[in-house]
Amino acid sequence: MSSIEQLADQYGLFLCVECGKCVAVCPMGEIYTHVSYEASPRGIIERILLDPGIPEDDSLWFCLTCDLCTDLCPAGVRFRDFVEAIRQVAMKTGITEYSSFCDSCGTYLYPQHILEYLKQALGEPAEKLLTLCTRCRRYHFGIKLKAQMPGKRKVGSPKVQIGNSR
Ligand code: SF4
Ligand code: SF4
């Protein structure tokens, strides 16, 4: 049994009864304008069961990992967990072009498709924050904050007033 077949077995893909409930509830169609059936949970399950390998295209990298499909699946398929696991395997085998990583420490953040969607939804000011992991974001914010601490402020920096003055 290949490692992908093992994952398919572990997350119940062989139990799928092809009812299509996961596709009906999946929010990917509302988020992306270009998502195809091949990237839907049922489409991916069919493909993996027919040909248990890592797809070389970007179909694995659209899922938002919301887990709604798992909640509604009558057969107990854990598609979200499967996608997260196979993405890790894909990255370990060198498929990294569909992922985004922290600009500062290189930690995996989320798929490129999700990053592009977030950039569009949140606008340019959020771009810098979106490409930092939470740890590095806090660290960078801490550095900026430290620079504002008494004794660290540049001459001429404005003073900040906190609380009511009487
Ligand atoms: S809801 Fe479950 S059983 Fe139905 S198609 Fe999706 S994965 Fe298969
Ligand atoms: S976990 Fe992924 S496949 Fe399942 S409903 Fe959410 S976006 Fe769709």
Side-chain angles (χ1 to χ4, degrees):
M1 208 186 253
S2 72
S3 62
I4 302 303
E5 279 176 301
Q6 279 175 8
L7 288 181
D9 185 40
Q10 183 180 348
Y11 296 111
L13 268 59
F14 292 102
L15 303 173
C16 175
V17 292
E18 300 182 23
C19 66
K21 284 188 179 172
C22 52
V23 181
V25 76
C26 179
M28 281 193 268
E30 293 161 33
I31 301 290
Y32 304 115
T33 49
H34 55 296
V35 72
S36 64
Y37 178 75
E38 280 69 41
S40 74
R42 197 171 154 203
I44 288 174
I45 290 168
E46 278 174 9
R47 188 168 171 181
I48 295 288
L49 295 185
L50 277 172
D51 179 17
I54 301 170
E56 285 182 7
D57 60 24
D58 61 350
S59 54
L60 282 178
W61 303 88
F62 286 92
C63 171
L64 310 163
T65 65
C66 67
D67 218 18
L68 281 173
C69 52
T70 306
D71 289 345
L72 283 206
C73 178
V77 177
R78 289 158 56 207
F79 182 77
R80 189 275 308 266
D81 295 346
F82 171 76
V83 162
E84 288 187 330
I86 195 171
R87 282 176 180 169
Q88 291 298 326
V89 176
M91 286 188 283
K92 278 187 192 141
T93 59
I95 302 173
T96 54
E97 61 268 41
Y98 306 122
S99 313
S100 60
F101 301 90
C102 175
D103 278 348
S104 186
C105 70
T107 300
Y108 167 68
L109 296 173
Y110 19 58
Q112 280 285 349
H113 291 309
I114 294 180
L115 177 63
E116 290 310 316
Y117 169 73
L118 290 173
K119 278 182 181 175
Q120 276 181 29
L122 300 174
E124 211 176 308
E127 280 196 23
K128 188 78 197 134
L129 293 175
L130 289 170
T131 50
L132 287 173
C133 69
T134 42
R135 193 155 168 256
C136 290
R137 215 179 286 161
R138 230 178 293 137
Y139 179 70
H140 285 232
F141 178 71
I143 289 177
K144 281 186 187 162
L145 195 64
K146 239 177 174 178
Q148 293 300 318
M149 298 297 264
K152 302 270 182 183
R153 277 189 290 114
K154 288 183 196 147
V155 178
S157 301
K159 288 186 179 175
V160 182
Q161 188 176 320
I162 299 171
N164 296 328
S165 56
R166 296 188 180 192

